[in-house]
Amino acid sequence: MFLTSLTAADDLDRAVVVGDDALSRAELVDRAGRFAAGIPDDGPVAVHATASIDTVVAITGAILAGVPVVPVPPDAGPAERGHVLRDSGATAWAGERPDGPEVAALPSVRPGSTAVAPREIDPERTAMLLYTSGTTGAPKGAQLSGRAIAAGLDGLFEVWDWTPDDTVAHGLPLFHVHGLILGVLGSLRRGSRVVHTVKPQPARYAAADATMYFGVPTVWNRVVGEPDAARALGKARLLVSGSAPLPASLFEQIAGLTGQAPVERYGMTETMITLSARASGERRAGWVGLPVPGAETRLLPAGDGETGTVPDDGETVGRLEVRGPMLFGGYLDRPEANAECWAGDGWFRTGDLAVRDPGGFHRIVGRESTDLIKSGGYRIGSGEIEAVLLDHPSVAEVAVVGRPDPDLGQRIVAYVVGDGSGAAGSGQELIDHVAGQLSWHKRPREVVFVDALPRNPMGKVQKKLLGS
């Protein structure tokens, strides 16, 4: 059982705070134990993962009972929720019951009158089933064992100098790796306090009085938009950004207002966190650092049919593969997907494109399926071009793609949603902006201004629809 600190003799008052609700460590163990007593079988247990103490209790209780837990987004629609419940084989539902026959068929889970003691659990057994966003079809269930979760968290304890004396604060969803496993389970395993602000608002972050803050770029953008709140975070020792690329200008704004550069890191649902800048090491805008303890990476040529590895020159783009004890055990009942994502000898194909410098620092430059552009003999990741364009004050949103070109093979085209100021002019200013920040061959050859970017129901840009 990877939440070993929960059974420690010393208690911590207000160990878990979610909004206005708080539990000591002893109270959490008691409530989670009573919840576990009401689980009818070996699960899995689906949890309506709202930002609440009840969610923390239910997930902790299932873990203590050795029953796999399936966090379900509270805003999931009937089709998505029904798929997750059917695919996971969940036998019980915890939390508010949404309308729908697929939910009504599940037995209720109610706390027992007497708490049960934590069970001896096979560390290789699936502890958590997290569903991917489903950008290439229906969401897939990634199976994370207790051993994998423990390995991933222990690596972060080391690289972030995370101690039981820390207080972690964030307002991220409790159905993803970032908010749930890192923010809550990481704190419980390490023995530190966690404060969930319910909503990731700057004022709530500032009032948390934490030593470590977790956020995504959208959150950090809101924080720097309220300078007083941002300066209040300067008392913390670590500001962590992940889940999406952090624009360089935002990196500099955070550093300027708080007095410290943020730590950027990289991971996936399937891999936990495999790359991160160190708390006591270099923090470089746009770079996600070095492998965490136990993790390995390799970059393979992005071209079809090519073999070997790419040079560590900080420029050559390669397909990122990772391996280590924190990786998941495969997708539930998806043999074809598993065969496709595993490269053999423990290597997992992330689907991401990256570059690595001579010191081992990594920079993510896009997704292989949509973001690799082959132009003039160069392999270019559109993500790094998008990051530079987003640093321009007149750009609100952007998507960069490759379009067929008789001379270059593909020409780089940027689809831009402006901020309404009209400052970008004809687009030449944006082309020059990229050329001044990146290699000349990475500049867009064309800028197309659009009112909006096409997105799927999950909010992700559908690049294949651009220009159609």
Side-chain angles (χ1 to χ4, degrees), residues 127-165:
M128 191 161 291
L129 195 56
L130 295 178
Y131 277 78
T132 65
S133 59
T135 55
T136 57
K140 302 185 290 290
Q143 303 173 99
L144 285 169
S145 69
R147 188 185 300 279
I149 293 173
L153 292 175
D154 290 349
L156 293 179
F157 298 158
E158 181 174 338
V159 301
W160 293 347
D161 298 337
W162 190 344
T163 77
D165 294 328

Side-chain angles (χ1 to χ4, degrees), residues 81-107:
R81 183 173 60 248
H83 166 75
V84 168
L85 295 175
R86 289 189 298 272
D87 190 74
S88 67
T91 62
W93 174 272
E96 181 183 353
R97 186 184 303 279
D99 294 333
E102 78 283 354
V103 176
L106 298 176

Side-chain angles (χ1 to χ4, degrees), residues 139-351:
K140 302 185 290 290
Q143 303 173 99
L144 285 169
S145 69
R147 188 185 300 279
I149 293 173
L153 292 175
D154 290 349
L156 293 179
F157 298 158
E158 181 174 338
V159 301
W160 293 347
D161 298 337
W162 190 344
T163 77
D165 294 328
D166 277 308
T167 294
V168 175
H170 72 88
L172 303 172
L174 296 184
F175 47 87
H176 287 158
V177 167
H178 198 168
L180 175 58
I181 297 183
L182 273 59
V184 175
L185 301 186
S187 299
L188 295 179
R189 179 172 175 81
R190 193 65 179 121
S192 54
R193 293 180 68 244
V194 58
V195 176
H196 194 284
T197 61
V198 181
K199 294 182 179 180
Q201 296 172 342
R204 296 188 182 191
Y205 268 45
D209 194 26
T211 60
M212 298 170 62
Y213 287 88
F214 296 166
V216 299
T218 299
V219 172
W220 292 119
N221 188 57
R222 292 171 182 171
V223 168
V224 300
E226 298 187 20
D228 288 343
R231 282 188 281 268
L233 269 55
K235 296 182 292 184
R237 66 170 192 82
L238 204 67
L239 309 177
V240 180
S241 183
S243 299
L246 186 71
S249 59
L250 183 52
F251 180 100
E252 297 299 337
Q253 285 179 285
I254 296 169
L257 287 167
T258 67
Q260 60 172 298
V263 164
E264 297 186 61
R265 87 307 183 274
Y266 166 83
M268 303 174 65
T269 300
E270 296 88 342
T271 67
M272 298 276 289
I273 306 305
T274 50
L275 293 164
S276 179
R278 270 46 177 174
S280 56
E282 180 184 4
R283 307 176 194 181
R284 191 188 312 169
W287 294 74
V288 292
L290 304 163
V292 304
E296 300 176 77
T297 65
R298 67 182 183 186
L299 297 182
L300 304 182
D304 296 332
E306 295 189 36
T307 59
T309 58
V310 302
D312 292 339
D313 57 10
E315 283 287 334
T316 306
V317 175
R319 294 183 285 112
L320 176 63
E321 296 186 356
V322 301
R323 70 177 175 183
M326 66 289 295
L327 268 62
F328 77 140
Y331 299 112
L332 179 66
D333 297 331
R334 298 292 183 93
E336 292 183 0
N338 288 326
E340 183 178 347
C341 73
W342 293 106
D345 200 24
W347 288 103
F348 176 75
R349 300 184 177 104
T350 67

Side-chain angles (χ1 to χ4, degrees), residues 374-377 404-411 445:
K374 300 176 182 179
S375 181
D405 186 275
D407 179 44
L408 297 170
Q410 286 184 306
R411 71 182 186 280
R445 302 303 178 106

Side-chain angles (χ1 to χ4, degrees), residues 340-409:
E340 183 178 347
C341 73
W342 293 106
D345 200 24
W347 288 103
F348 176 75
R349 300 184 177 104
T350 67
D352 283 318
L353 302 169
V355 301
R356 184 168 57 192
D357 75 3
F361 251 59
H362 295 66
R363 180 162 52 89
I364 307 300
V365 298
R367 293 289 292 172
E368 183 179 5
S369 59
T370 57
D371 295 332
L372 178 63
I373 300 172
K374 300 176 182 179
S375 181
Y378 295 99
R379 293 182 179 87
I380 302 162
S382 66
E384 63 177 333
I385 304 172
E386 291 167 351
V388 170
L389 284 169
L390 285 171
D391 274 337
H392 193 282
S394 69
V395 176
E397 295 180 279
V398 63
V400 172
V401 300
R403 289 284 175 254
D405 186 275
D407 179 44
L408 297 170

